[in-house]
């Protein structure tokens, strides 16, 4: 595994801990020898993690659609910035480039990206691991809901379990490395 894709916010969040955790994860990536793949923005926690990896001497690839390069202020200092046609290409390209995926606290875009990776794994379209940084219980409600999708018979526990969960930045890369990949079929 050499490149990790991190999904996170185009916003800062309402507490400094969100930017701080993005900076810490950037440092952890470099310390362990991983490059960063992300959405290419210079704003929010996305910008914070990219700046942190660069400041630590690491490698960053951003993938951004032309249509939102202005909106999210495409980062001008990356090692590689790929400008793609649309959101679909962005996700496909990030999925192709990365060997594993970490989702940090974020908004709808973060969730959308995380769930596409998880559902493609569920369908056997890739065999790359995913982990969630559940900082201070940010995702507790979502994890409870995911359990309910199993209880109600719409998901299999084995598929939900492919998302490794860590409450700490220090723990999220080890959790990713230990994340199970299932071959159990969705249907
Ligand atoms: P957010 O968590 O809402 O701040 O968004 C985080 C990132 O996800 C931003 O770079 C958004 O542009 C991106 N995003 C939102 N929707 C999509 C989508 N459908 N496909 C790819 N990226 C998306």
């Amino acid at each position: 595994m050499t490149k990790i894709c991190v999904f996170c916010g185009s916003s800062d969040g309402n507490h400094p801990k969100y930017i701080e955790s993005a900076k810490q994860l950037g440092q952890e990536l470099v310390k362990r020898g991983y490059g960063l793949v992300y959405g290419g923005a210079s704003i929010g926690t996305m910008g914070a993690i990219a700046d942190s990896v660069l400041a630590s001497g690491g490698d960053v690839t951003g993938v951004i659609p032309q249509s939102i390069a202005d909106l999210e202020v495409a980062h001008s200092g990356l090692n590689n910035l790929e400008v793609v046609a649309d959101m679909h290409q962005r996700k496909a390209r990030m999925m192709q480039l990365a060997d594993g995926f970490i989702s940090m606290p974020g908004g709808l875009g973060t969730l959308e990206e995380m769930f596409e990776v998880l559902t493609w794994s569920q369908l056997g379209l890739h065999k790359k691991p995913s982990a969630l940084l559940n900082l201070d219980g940010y995702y507790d409600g979502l994890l409870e809901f995911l359990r309910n999708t199993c209880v109600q018979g719409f998901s299999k526990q084995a598929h939900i379990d492919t998302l490794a969960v860590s409450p700490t930045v220090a723990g999220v890369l080890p959790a990713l490395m230990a994340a199970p990949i299932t071959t159990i079929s969705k249907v």
Side-chain angles (χ1 to χ4, degrees):
M1 197 177 290
T2 57
K3 283 185 194 290
I4 307 291
C5 180
V6 177
F7 300 132
C8 55
S10 54
S11 306
D12 291 357
N14 282 337
H15 191 284
K17 67 186 176 184
Y18 296 117
I19 290 287
E20 197 44 48
S21 63
K23 288 181 184 169
Q24 282 170 12
L25 182 55
Q27 289 162 1
E28 286 287 322
L29 287 171
V30 177
K31 205 163 73 184
R32 292 164 187 263
Y34 300 119
L36 171 70
V37 174
Y38 85 117
S42 63
I43 55 172
T45 54
M46 296 171 75
I49 192 169
D51 287 341
S52 165
V53 171
L54 292 169
S56 303
D59 185 82
V60 185
T61 298
V63 185
I64 197 163
Q66 184 66 63
S67 56
I68 63 163
D70 291 338
L71 186 71
E72 295 187 357
V73 198
H75 200 301
S76 58
L78 307 180
N79 304 90
N80 299 292
L81 180 69
E82 295 192 11
V83 179
V84 295
D86 55 34
M87 296 295 213
H88 298 292
Q89 279 190 16
R90 179 195 230 182
K91 282 179 295 185
R93 186 65 182 140
M94 289 196 290
M95 232 183 280
Q96 200 176 36
L97 288 170
D99 301 295
F101 306 90
I102 292 175
S103 300
M104 298 188 65
L108 291 176
T110 302
L111 293 172
E112 206 265 351
E113 290 167 329
M114 177 178 81
F115 279 118
E116 182 157 308
V117 169
L118 290 172
T119 53
W120 283 38
S121 165
Q122 178 179 260
L123 293 170
L125 299 175
H126 70 80
K127 297 204 181 314
K128 299 177 181 179
S130 287
L132 181 68
L133 176 59
N134 187 24
L135 191 74
D136 291 341
Y138 181 81
Y139 282 115
D140 281 355
L142 181 72
L143 292 168
E144 182 59 33
F145 175 74
L146 290 177
R147 275 189 283 278
N148 194 45
T149 67
C150 295
V151 171
Q152 300 301 325
F154 288 104
S155 298
K156 291 179 178 164
Q157 192 64 49
H159 292 136
I160 301 300
D161 289 345
T162 59
L163 181 63
V165 181
S166 170
T168 64
V169 173
V172 77
L173 276 164
L176 180 70
M177 300 310 147
I181 305 292
T182 184
T183 51
I184 292 174
S185 167
K186 168 73 180 118
V187 286

